[in-house]
Amino acid sequence: MRIDRPELWLGGRKGTTPELRLDTDRTHIIPLTLPPRTSAQAVLTWKVTGLSSNPDTGALSVHQPGIGDGELKEALLLDDTSRVWLTGWVPA
């Protein structure tokens, strides 16, 4: 299976909440092909930079095509003013 950059957005529904903008200087995703029954990991890092302009954020939704979806809910950790970056995939 080939994995690439996941789709990330704030909130629980794609298309109705903002896409999470990744820091392009720190995000370096190179596609990785995984053999059957193996896994990989990437690390998401964020730094809150100010007050949120959208009080309804508080969930990070993730979609990796071909694998599935996930969600992190924590109102105080991440908002639409955060600087966010993602490390490249590493086989786990």
Side-chain angles (χ1 to χ4, degrees):
M1 168 158 297
R2 183 177 169 89
I3 55 175
D4 203 339
R5 182 175 169 165
E7 299 172 6
L8 304 168
W9 64 94
L10 296 170
R13 191 169 293 232
K14 183 178 178 183
T16 61
T17 57
E19 181 180 342
L20 184 64
R21 295 182 307 262
L22 295 174
D23 184 329
T24 57
D25 291 335
R26 294 184 177 181
T27 298
H28 304 286
I29 296 293
I30 297 172
L32 177 66
T33 300
L34 293 174
R37 296 182 296 280
T38 61
S39 62
Q41 67 181 14
V43 176
L44 179 77
T45 306
W46 65 89
K47 178 180 176 184
V48 177
T49 58
L51 296 175
S52 175
S53 61
N54 182 354
D56 295 329
T57 59
L60 170 65
S61 298
V62 180
H63 174 71
Q64 182 64 56
I67 295 177
D69 303 293
E71 187 173 80
L72 168 67
K73 289 185 178 182
E74 178 51 64
L76 299 177
L77 290 181
L78 187 65
D79 65 30
D80 58 351
T81 66
S82 301
R83 283 188 74 185
V84 182
W85 57 96
L86 188 63
T87 66
W89 291 108
V90 176

